[in-house]
Amino acid sequence: MGKKLKVGIIGVGGIAGTHIPGWQASEDAELVAGSDISAKVLAEWGAKNGVKRLVTDSAELFSDRDIDIIDICTPSMYHAPLAIAALRAGKHVICEKPLAPTPKDIRDMIAARDASGKQLMTAQHFRFSGTSRALKTEIDGGVLGDVYHARGWMLRRAGLLTRPGFIMKKHAGGGACIDIGVHILDLTLLMMGNPKPVAVSGVARTELAKIPGAFTRWSGPIPKEFDVEEFAAGFVRFENGATLMLEVSWLLHHDVEGDDTQMWLYGNGGGSHWPSCQIFRSNYKTRQQYNTTLKIKNDLREPHAQECV
Ligand SMILES: NC(=O)c1ccc[n+]([C@@H]2O[C@H](COP(=O)([O-])OP(=O)(O)OC[C@H]3O[C@@H](n4cnc5c(N)ncnc54)[C@H](O)[C@@H]3O)[C@@H](O)[C@H]2O)c1
C-alpha cells in the first residue's frame, strides 16, 4: 500500500455524512479536511467526525498541497465552479449528483478534467449497489441480447426535501428531474451500454407544489420559495435505434409511501427488472417462458460509502 490520498469535503451537510464511512474504511484515502460556508455547521461537523482542518473558504483547500481529492457535496449550482477550480488546482474530484445542472457546465467540467489529467467522478451511488452490480454483470454477459427499449422511473408521493438546495432554482439548478431523475436515468443508461442519444422530448411541470396547503411527508409545508419542477417525463431515441422512457416526480398522487424506483430493460434475448433483479426469457422452440431472480451476495457497504471506499 502506498501513501494514502488526502480528502477534503466541501459542503458538510446531509449527503457528506453518507460519504464518511467510505472514506474511513478506505485503504487508499483518508478524510483530513472540510469546508462549508456555514462556520457553525462546519465546527459541529469537525467535532463529530474528528476532522481538524476546517475552512469556510474552499479556495484554501485548493491551494493546500497536502490535499489530493476534493469531494463536492454542496447544492448542485456550485458543483461546476468548485470542481473546475479544484481540477485546475491539480486535485482529483468526486462530485455529488447531478454532476451539474446544465450540459454546458458538464462540458466545462470535462474540459477542465482533460486539461488537468486528474480524475473527475460523478457520485451516482445507484451504480454501486449489489443489485445494480449483479444485473450489470449478467447484462454484460449478454443475457438480454440487444436492449431495444427501457423504462425507468423514480416516483414519490409527497416526498421531497425543502432545503434551499433542493427547491430554489438559484441553488439547485432544477427540481425532481435532476434530483432523483438522474439516479434512475444514469443507471438505465449504464445498463444499456451508454448509447448515444439522437433525440429527446420531454416535459417538466409543477402542479401540486403550489396548491395551498401542499406538503411533504418529511418536513411539512412546501415553502413559497419553491420555483423548480416537481414532475418530469421524457422520451429518448438513441443512435442504435433503442428507446427510453423516463418518469420522475416528488409529489405524484401515487400508491406508494416510499420511493417507487424501477427500471425495466427489454432486449431481443430477454427482459429484466430492477431492483428485483428478475430476468425474463423465452424458449421459442418449446414455447416455454423462464423467469429467474438473481441471488445477491449482500456483502457490500451502503452504496454512498461504497462509491468512496
Ligand atoms: N446521492 C444521493 O443520494 C444524494 C442525496 C441527497 C443529496 N444529494 C446531492 O448532494 C448535494 C448536497 O445535498 P445535501 O442534501 O447534502 O444538502 P444540504 O443542504 O444538507 O448540505 C449542503 C451543505 O453545503 C453548504 N454549502 C452551500 N453552498 C456552499 C458553497 N458554495 N461552498 C461550500 N459549502 C456550501 C451548506 O451550508 C450545507 O451545509 C446536492 O447536489 C444533492 O443533489 C445526493
Side-chain angles (χ1 to χ4, degrees):
M1 190 181 72
K3 162 187 168 289
K4 277 193 171 188
L5 298 173
K6 297 201 166 39
V7 182
I9 297 184
I10 304 180
V12 298
I15 205 64
T18 68
H19 290 197
I20 289 174
W23 294 127
Q24 287 172 339
S26 176
E27 292 182 359
D28 305 307
E30 63 179 313
L31 178 61
V32 298
S35 176
D36 200 289
I37 51 171
S38 165
K40 183 171 175 285
V41 167
L42 189 61
E44 286 168 6
W45 177 86
K48 182 176 168 204
N49 294 293
V51 178
K52 295 198 170 55
R53 176 121 170 75
L54 304 170
V55 296
T56 49
D57 181 358
S58 52
E60 288 185 41
L61 298 188
F62 303 150
S63 59
D64 185 336
R65 295 176 63 151
D66 279 347
I67 291 179
D68 305 287
I69 299 174
I70 296 290
D71 180 0
I72 299 176
C73 295
T74 64
S76 309
M77 278 300 264
Y78 312 110
H79 291 180
L82 289 168
I84 291 168
L87 288 161
R88 284 186 181 151
K91 313 299 184 194
H92 299 293
V93 172
I94 174 170
C95 179
E96 257 307 331
K97 48 55 57 176
L99 199 51
T102 73
K104 180 182 180 309
D105 287 339
I106 293 174
R107 288 189 188 107
D108 290 347
M109 292 164 89
I110 291 170
R113 176 203 65 184
D114 292 347
S116 72
K118 299 294 171 182
Q119 305 270 342
L120 168 64
M121 173 178 162
T122 174
Q124 293 286 167
H125 74 278
F126 274 33
R127 297 182 189 183
F128 292 87
S129 74
T131 51
S132 301
R133 288 180 178 212
L135 189 58
K136 178 88 170 88
T137 301
E138 292 301 309
I139 291 173
D140 287 349
V143 72
L144 303 186
D146 294 328
V147 175
Y148 57 86
H149 184 60
R151 295 189 292 148
W153 61 85
M154 190 155 175
L155 304 173
R156 291 181 183 156
R157 182 177 186 177
L160 74 142
L161 295 164
T162 52
R163 295 196 285 277
F166 292 88
I167 60 155
M168 294 173 70
K169 193 158 187 176
K170 70 177 179 179
H171 298 299
C177 194
I178 64 166
D179 177 28
I180 54 177
V182 291
H183 285 307
I184 196 66
L185 178 62
D186 177 77
L187 190 68
T188 308
L189 292 172
L190 180 75
M191 296 292 171
M192 296 175 84
N194 279 313
K196 185 175 176 202
V198 291
V200 179
S201 89
V203 291
R205 65 193 296 162
T206 292
E207 284 290 326
L208 308 184
K210 293 293 178 188
I211 294 175
F215 65 95
T216 154
R217 286 178 287 118
W218 300 337
S219 52
I222 296 182
K224 63 177 181 347
E225 289 78 13
F226 185 108
D227 66 353
V228 292
E229 87 286 351
E230 68 183 37
F231 167 86
F235 180 76
V236 186
R237 278 197 303 118
F238 298 94
E239 195 172 57
N240 65 3
T243 46
L244 180 157
M245 287 162 58
L246 175 73
E247 292 175 317
V248 188
S249 182
W250 282 330
L251 284 168
L252 218 55
H253 292 304
H254 188 59
D255 181 22
V256 65
E257 290 305 320
D259 290 358
D260 177 3
T261 306
Q262 299 188 43
M263 172 182 62
W264 287 88
L265 298 165
Y266 303 103
N268 53 15
S272 68
H273 177 259
W274 182 90
S276 69
C277 282
Q278 291 180 82
I279 293 176
F280 310 96
R281 281 172 292 176
S282 299
N283 182 325
Y284 293 105
K285 286 193 187 126
T286 60
R287 294 194 182 172
Q288 283 172 305
Q289 294 177 314
Y290 302 91
N291 298 355
T292 46
T293 303
L294 301 181
K295 230 177 159 175
I296 311 302
K297 201 171 162 214
N298 200 13
D299 62 352
L300 294 177
R301 284 184 185 81
E302 193 279 327
H304 294 94
Q306 189 70 28
E307 71 193 349
C308 297
V309 78

Short mmCIF file of all heavy atoms in Angstrom, two decimals, residues 10-16 35-38 41 56 58 72-76 78-79 82 96-98 123 125 161 163 165-166 178-179 183 304 307, ligand 1:
data_model
loop_
_atom_site.label_atom_id
_atom_site.label_comp_id
_atom_site.label_asym_id
_atom_site.label_seq_id
_atom_site.Cartn_x
_atom_site.Cartn_y
_atom_site.Cartn_z
N ILE A 10 -16.20 19.46 0.56
CA ILE A 10 -16.79 20.81 0.53
C ILE A 10 -18.30 20.66 0.58
O ILE A 10 -18.91 20.00 -0.28
CB ILE A 10 -16.38 21.57 -0.75
CG1 ILE A 10 -14.85 21.65 -0.86
CG2 ILE A 10 -16.98 22.98 -0.73
CD1 ILE A 10 -14.37 22.39 -2.10
N GLY A 11 -18.91 21.31 1.59
CA GLY A 11 -20.36 21.20 1.80
C GLY A 11 -20.64 20.04 2.75
O GLY A 11 -20.85 18.91 2.29
N VAL A 12 -20.62 20.32 4.06
CA VAL A 12 -20.66 19.21 5.03
C VAL A 12 -22.07 19.00 5.59
O VAL A 12 -22.26 18.84 6.78
CB VAL A 12 -19.61 19.42 6.15
CG1 VAL A 12 -18.22 19.43 5.55
CG2 VAL A 12 -19.89 20.70 6.94
N GLY A 13 -23.07 19.00 4.70
CA GLY A 13 -24.46 18.80 5.12
C GLY A 13 -24.85 17.34 5.07
O GLY A 13 -24.04 16.44 5.37
N GLY A 14 -26.10 17.10 4.65
CA GLY A 14 -26.69 15.76 4.73
C GLY A 14 -25.90 14.69 4.00
O GLY A 14 -25.52 13.67 4.59
N ILE A 15 -25.63 14.89 2.73
CA ILE A 15 -25.07 13.79 1.95
C ILE A 15 -23.61 13.54 2.29
O ILE A 15 -23.12 12.41 2.17
CB ILE A 15 -25.27 14.01 0.43
CG1 ILE A 15 -25.27 12.67 -0.29
CG2 ILE A 15 -24.24 14.95 -0.15
CD1 ILE A 15 -26.41 11.76 0.08
N ALA A 16 -22.91 14.59 2.73
CA ALA A 16 -21.50 14.40 3.11
C ALA A 16 -21.38 13.31 4.17
O ALA A 16 -20.43 12.51 4.17
CB ALA A 16 -20.90 15.71 3.61
N SER A 35 -14.90 21.89 4.38
CA SER A 35 -15.17 23.30 4.12
C SER A 35 -16.67 23.48 3.97
O SER A 35 -17.36 22.62 3.41
CB SER A 35 -14.46 23.73 2.82
OG SER A 35 -14.79 25.06 2.51
N ASP A 36 -17.18 24.60 4.49
CA ASP A 36 -18.60 24.90 4.36
C ASP A 36 -18.74 26.41 4.54
O ASP A 36 -17.97 27.03 5.29
CB ASP A 36 -19.42 24.15 5.42
CG ASP A 36 -20.89 24.04 5.04
OD1 ASP A 36 -21.60 25.08 5.08
OD2 ASP A 36 -21.34 22.93 4.70
N ILE A 37 -19.74 26.99 3.87
CA ILE A 37 -19.95 28.43 4.05
C ILE A 37 -20.52 28.74 5.43
O ILE A 37 -20.46 29.87 5.88
CB ILE A 37 -20.86 29.02 2.95
CG1 ILE A 37 -22.14 28.20 2.83
CG2 ILE A 37 -20.13 29.12 1.61
CD1 ILE A 37 -23.18 28.84 1.92
N SER A 38 -21.06 27.74 6.11
CA SER A 38 -21.57 27.95 7.47
C SER A 38 -20.50 27.49 8.48
O SER A 38 -20.22 26.30 8.62
CB SER A 38 -22.86 27.16 7.69
OG SER A 38 -23.14 27.09 9.08
N VAL A 41 -22.04 25.06 11.17
CA VAL A 41 -22.22 23.68 10.68
C VAL A 41 -20.86 22.98 10.58
O VAL A 41 -20.70 21.83 10.98
CB VAL A 41 -22.93 23.70 9.30
CG1 VAL A 41 -22.85 22.35 8.60
CG2 VAL A 41 -24.38 24.14 9.44
N THR A 56 -13.76 27.97 5.95
CA THR A 56 -15.00 28.44 5.34
C THR A 56 -14.77 28.89 3.89
O THR A 56 -15.73 29.03 3.13
CB THR A 56 -15.63 29.60 6.14
OG1 THR A 56 -14.62 30.57 6.39
CG2 THR A 56 -16.23 29.11 7.45
N SER A 58 -13.36 27.63 0.51
CA SER A 58 -12.88 26.38 -0.11
C SER A 58 -11.59 26.56 -0.89
O SER A 58 -10.85 25.59 -1.11
CB SER A 58 -13.97 25.78 -1.00
OG SER A 58 -14.44 26.74 -1.91
N ILE A 72 -17.09 17.00 -3.50
CA ILE A 72 -18.03 18.13 -3.54
C ILE A 72 -19.44 17.66 -3.16
O ILE A 72 -20.04 16.84 -3.86
CB ILE A 72 -18.02 18.78 -4.93
CG1 ILE A 72 -16.62 19.32 -5.23
CG2 ILE A 72 -19.06 19.91 -5.00
CD1 ILE A 72 -16.45 19.90 -6.62
N CYS A 73 -19.94 18.22 -2.06
CA CYS A 73 -21.27 17.83 -1.53
C CYS A 73 -22.13 19.07 -1.28
O CYS A 73 -22.97 19.07 -0.38
CB CYS A 73 -21.11 17.04 -0.24
SG CYS A 73 -20.28 15.46 -0.44
N THR A 74 -21.92 20.12 -2.06
CA THR A 74 -22.72 21.34 -1.92
C THR A 74 -24.00 21.21 -2.75
O THR A 74 -24.12 20.30 -3.58
CB THR A 74 -21.95 22.54 -2.50
OG1 THR A 74 -21.77 22.30 -3.90
CG2 THR A 74 -20.60 22.72 -1.83
N PRO A 75 -24.94 22.16 -2.60
CA PRO A 75 -26.06 22.20 -3.56
C PRO A 75 -25.54 22.27 -4.99
O PRO A 75 -24.43 22.75 -5.26
CB PRO A 75 -26.80 23.48 -3.15
CG PRO A 75 -26.53 23.62 -1.69
CD PRO A 75 -25.10 23.16 -1.52
N SER A 76 -26.36 21.79 -5.92
CA SER A 76 -25.89 21.46 -7.27
C SER A 76 -25.38 22.66 -8.09
O SER A 76 -24.50 22.48 -8.94
CB SER A 76 -27.03 20.76 -8.02
OG SER A 76 -27.51 19.70 -7.23
N TYR A 78 -23.39 24.84 -7.34
CA TYR A 78 -21.99 25.18 -7.04
C TYR A 78 -21.04 24.07 -7.48
O TYR A 78 -19.82 24.21 -7.33
CB TYR A 78 -21.85 25.48 -5.53
CG TYR A 78 -22.93 26.45 -5.09
CD1 TYR A 78 -23.97 26.06 -4.26
CD2 TYR A 78 -22.97 27.75 -5.61
CE1 TYR A 78 -25.00 26.93 -3.93
CE2 TYR A 78 -24.00 28.62 -5.29
CZ TYR A 78 -25.00 28.20 -4.44
OH TYR A 78 -26.03 29.06 -4.13
N HIS A 79 -21.58 22.97 -8.01
CA HIS A 79 -20.72 21.84 -8.38
C HIS A 79 -19.70 22.23 -9.45
O HIS A 79 -18.51 21.94 -9.30
CB HIS A 79 -21.55 20.66 -8.89
CG HIS A 79 -22.38 19.99 -7.84
ND1 HIS A 79 -23.19 18.91 -8.10
CD2 HIS A 79 -22.53 20.24 -6.51
CE1 HIS A 79 -23.79 18.52 -7.00
NE2 HIS A 79 -23.42 19.32 -6.02
N LEU A 82 -16.86 24.84 -8.39
CA LEU A 82 -15.94 24.24 -7.41
C LEU A 82 -15.10 23.14 -8.05
O LEU A 82 -13.89 23.05 -7.82
CB LEU A 82 -16.74 23.68 -6.21
CG LEU A 82 -17.36 24.74 -5.29
CD1 LEU A 82 -18.35 24.09 -4.33
CD2 LEU A 82 -16.29 25.51 -4.52
N GLU A 96 -20.96 15.12 -6.05
CA GLU A 96 -22.32 14.58 -5.88
C GLU A 96 -23.14 14.77 -7.16
O GLU A 96 -22.86 15.62 -8.00
CB GLU A 96 -23.02 15.27 -4.69
CG GLU A 96 -23.06 14.42 -3.44
CD GLU A 96 -23.66 13.03 -3.67
OE1 GLU A 96 -24.51 12.83 -4.56
OE2 GLU A 96 -23.28 12.10 -2.93
N LYS A 97 -24.20 14.00 -7.26
CA LYS A 97 -25.12 14.13 -8.38
C LYS A 97 -26.05 15.31 -8.14
O LYS A 97 -26.27 15.64 -6.98
CB LYS A 97 -25.93 12.86 -8.63
CG LYS A 97 -26.59 12.19 -7.45
CD LYS A 97 -27.53 12.91 -6.54
CE LYS A 97 -28.75 13.57 -7.07
NZ LYS A 97 -29.61 14.16 -5.99
N PRO A 98 -26.60 15.93 -9.14
CA PRO A 98 -26.21 15.80 -10.54
C PRO A 98 -24.83 16.44 -10.72
O PRO A 98 -24.52 17.41 -10.03
CB PRO A 98 -27.27 16.62 -11.28
CG PRO A 98 -27.63 17.71 -10.30
CD PRO A 98 -27.58 17.03 -8.94
N ALA A 123 -20.79 11.09 -8.39
CA ALA A 123 -21.17 10.18 -7.29
C ALA A 123 -22.58 9.65 -7.51
O ALA A 123 -23.52 10.01 -6.80
CB ALA A 123 -21.07 10.92 -5.96
N HIS A 125 -24.58 6.92 -6.80
CA HIS A 125 -24.40 5.76 -5.92
C HIS A 125 -25.24 4.54 -6.33
O HIS A 125 -24.91 3.43 -5.92
CB HIS A 125 -24.69 6.14 -4.47
CG HIS A 125 -26.14 6.34 -4.15
ND1 HIS A 125 -26.81 7.50 -4.43
CD2 HIS A 125 -27.05 5.50 -3.62
CE1 HIS A 125 -28.07 7.37 -4.04
NE2 HIS A 125 -28.24 6.17 -3.56
N LEU A 161 -37.26 17.04 -0.18
CA LEU A 161 -36.56 17.84 0.82
C LEU A 161 -36.82 19.30 0.52
O LEU A 161 -36.78 19.72 -0.64
CB LEU A 161 -35.05 17.54 0.74
CG LEU A 161 -34.66 16.10 1.11
CD1 LEU A 161 -33.25 15.79 0.64
CD2 LEU A 161 -34.80 15.89 2.61
N ARG A 163 -35.07 21.93 1.73
CA ARG A 163 -33.93 22.83 1.93
C ARG A 163 -33.72 23.64 0.64
O ARG A 163 -34.05 23.16 -0.47
CB ARG A 163 -32.67 22.04 2.26
CG ARG A 163 -32.79 21.30 3.59
CD ARG A 163 -31.42 20.84 4.10
NE ARG A 163 -30.86 19.70 3.42
CZ ARG A 163 -31.15 18.42 3.69
NH1 ARG A 163 -32.03 18.12 4.62
NH2 ARG A 163 -30.55 17.44 3.03
N GLY A 165 -31.31 24.17 -1.23
CA GLY A 165 -30.53 23.48 -2.25
C GLY A 165 -31.33 22.49 -3.06
O GLY A 165 -30.81 21.90 -4.02
N PHE A 166 -32.60 22.27 -2.70
CA PHE A 166 -33.45 21.36 -3.48
C PHE A 166 -34.60 22.08 -4.17
O PHE A 166 -35.01 21.67 -5.25
CB PHE A 166 -34.02 20.25 -2.56
CG PHE A 166 -32.96 19.31 -2.09
CD1 PHE A 166 -32.24 19.58 -0.93
CD2 PHE A 166 -32.63 18.19 -2.83
CE1 PHE A 166 -31.22 18.74 -0.51
CE2 PHE A 166 -31.62 17.34 -2.42
CZ PHE A 166 -30.91 17.61 -1.27
N ILE A 178 -33.47 16.61 -11.90
CA ILE A 178 -32.02 16.48 -11.65
C ILE A 178 -31.72 16.08 -10.22
O ILE A 178 -30.57 15.81 -9.89
CB ILE A 178 -31.23 17.75 -12.04
CG1 ILE A 178 -31.62 18.95 -11.20
CG2 ILE A 178 -31.35 18.03 -13.52
CD1 ILE A 178 -30.63 20.09 -11.34
N ASP A 179 -32.75 16.02 -9.37
CA ASP A 179 -32.50 15.50 -8.02
C ASP A 179 -32.59 13.97 -8.03
O ASP A 179 -31.59 13.29 -7.80
CB ASP A 179 -33.52 16.09 -7.03
CG ASP A 179 -33.34 15.50 -5.63
OD1 ASP A 179 -32.21 15.11 -5.30
OD2 ASP A 179 -34.33 15.41 -4.87
N HIS A 183 -30.76 9.67 -10.87
CA HIS A 183 -30.39 8.35 -10.32
C HIS A 183 -30.80 7.23 -11.29
O HIS A 183 -30.00 6.38 -11.67
CB HIS A 183 -31.10 8.10 -8.98
CG HIS A 183 -30.53 8.86 -7.84
ND1 HIS A 183 -29.21 8.84 -7.50
CD2 HIS A 183 -31.13 9.67 -6.92
CE1 HIS A 183 -29.00 9.59 -6.42
NE2 HIS A 183 -30.16 10.11 -6.05
N HIS A 304 -23.50 4.70 -0.94
CA HIS A 304 -22.81 6.01 -0.88
C HIS A 304 -21.39 5.84 -0.34
O HIS A 304 -20.47 6.54 -0.76
CB HIS A 304 -23.56 6.97 0.05
CG HIS A 304 -24.91 7.39 -0.42
ND1 HIS A 304 -26.05 6.75 -0.03
CD2 HIS A 304 -25.31 8.38 -1.24
CE1 HIS A 304 -27.09 7.33 -0.58
NE2 HIS A 304 -26.68 8.33 -1.33
N GLU A 307 -19.05 4.03 -2.98
CA GLU A 307 -18.50 4.81 -4.10
C GLU A 307 -17.24 5.57 -3.67
O GLU A 307 -16.45 5.97 -4.51
CB GLU A 307 -19.55 5.77 -4.66
CG GLU A 307 -19.89 6.94 -3.76
CD GLU A 307 -21.12 7.71 -4.18
OE1 GLU A 307 -21.63 7.49 -5.29
OE2 GLU A 307 -21.57 8.52 -3.37
N1 LIG B 1 -26.64 10.72 -3.84
C1 LIG B 1 -27.72 10.97 -3.11
O1 LIG B 1 -28.46 10.06 -2.74
C2 LIG B 1 -28.00 12.38 -2.68
C3 LIG B 1 -28.96 12.62 -1.70
C4 LIG B 1 -29.15 13.94 -1.27
C5 LIG B 1 -28.44 14.96 -1.85
N2 LIG B 1 -27.54 14.70 -2.86
C6 LIG B 1 -26.80 15.78 -3.52
O2 LIG B 1 -25.82 16.28 -2.59
C7 LIG B 1 -25.72 17.69 -2.73
C8 LIG B 1 -25.92 18.31 -1.34
O3 LIG B 1 -27.17 17.89 -0.81
P1 LIG B 1 -27.38 17.80 0.78
O4 LIG B 1 -28.63 17.04 0.98
O5 LIG B 1 -26.15 17.33 1.47
O6 LIG B 1 -27.62 19.35 1.10
P2 LIG B 1 -27.53 20.08 2.50
O7 LIG B 1 -28.32 21.32 2.35
O8 LIG B 1 -27.85 19.14 3.60
O9 LIG B 1 -25.97 20.43 2.65
C9 LIG B 1 -25.28 21.28 1.77
C10 LIG B 1 -24.15 21.97 2.55
O10 LIG B 1 -23.41 22.74 1.62
C11 LIG B 1 -23.10 24.02 2.22
N3 LIG B 1 -22.86 24.96 1.12
C12 LIG B 1 -23.77 25.59 0.35
N4 LIG B 1 -23.15 26.31 -0.60
C13 LIG B 1 -21.82 26.11 -0.42
C14 LIG B 1 -20.65 26.61 -1.07
N5 LIG B 1 -20.74 27.41 -2.15
N6 LIG B 1 -19.43 26.22 -0.61
C15 LIG B 1 -19.33 25.40 0.47
N7 LIG B 1 -20.40 24.92 1.14
C16 LIG B 1 -21.63 25.27 0.69
C17 LIG B 1 -24.31 24.33 3.08
O11 LIG B 1 -24.01 25.28 4.11
C18 LIG B 1 -24.67 22.93 3.63
O12 LIG B 1 -24.01 22.67 4.86
C19 LIG B 1 -26.72 18.11 -3.80
O13 LIG B 1 -26.06 18.26 -5.02
C20 LIG B 1 -27.68 16.93 -3.89
O14 LIG B 1 -28.23 16.74 -5.19
C21 LIG B 1 -27.29 13.42 -3.25
#
